[in-house]
Amino acid sequence: VQLQASGGGLVQAGGSLRLSCAASGRTFSIYAVAWFRQAVGKEREFVSAISTTGGSTYYADPVRGRFTISRDNVRNTVYLDMNTLKPGDTAVYYCAATTWAINSLAVVDRDTYNYWGQGTLVTVSS
């Protein structure tokens, strides 16, 4: 599967953005999908994940309550709605996919995912 992340940009603190991860190739509905982010000088970190059907979602503590992940298996797209953005959310955001079953431990591990998109830059100004 090929992943294409989009939707990044410059936004003021308190604002909102919607990221999209569009997939092409094999049947999208067999993949669990996650978002990771990497700020300058920091390790890539888990942000959120969603199961194949959308029935299970996972969030990192810093974004829980502000970000919402969803998917549309007809449009082969996963979304990340980001609200109340903070300067600390500034990073390149990557989407990733896996055919493995995910759980609360596996979702945060980068090695769980065998497909990665190219990243989209989110900049939050204070």
Side-chain angles (χ1 to χ4, degrees):
V1 67
Q2 292 80 42
L3 303 174
Q4 179 76 37
S6 63
L10 174 63
V11 63
Q12 288 188 328
S16 300
L17 280 175
R18 166 176 265 202
L19 303 185
S20 298
C21 177
S24 60
R26 297 180 60 185
T27 305
F28 181 61
S29 60
I30 70 173
Y31 296 92
V33 177
W35 288 95
F36 284 73
R37 67 186 182 186
Q38 187 167 16
V40 174
K42 295 188 176 182
E43 294 286 320
R44 191 171 299 187
E45 64 177 6
F46 169 77
V47 175
S48 183
I50 189 165
S51 63
T52 55
T53 63
S56 296
T57 56
Y58 306 86
Y59 297 94
D61 287 342
V63 308
R64 186 174 289 112
R66 299 188 296 122
F67 291 11
T68 302
I69 192 169
S70 61
R71 69 187 295 158
D72 184 339
N73 284 344
V74 173
R75 298 179 184 272
N76 287 356
T77 304
V78 167
Y79 303 100
L80 185 68
D81 289 298
M82 306 187 296
N83 298 307
T84 320
L85 283 161
K86 305 175 181 180
D89 294 319
T90 295
V92 176
Y93 284 70
Y94 298 89
C95 59
T98 181
T99 53
W100 294 5
I102 58 172
N103 54 44
S104 58
L105 293 178
V107 291
V108 302
D109 187 347
R110 287 173 289 178
D111 291 338
T112 296
Y113 305 91
N114 38 12
Y115 302 96
W116 290 83
Q118 86 294 353
T120 185
L121 176 62
V122 172
T123 304
V124 184
S125 64
S126 57

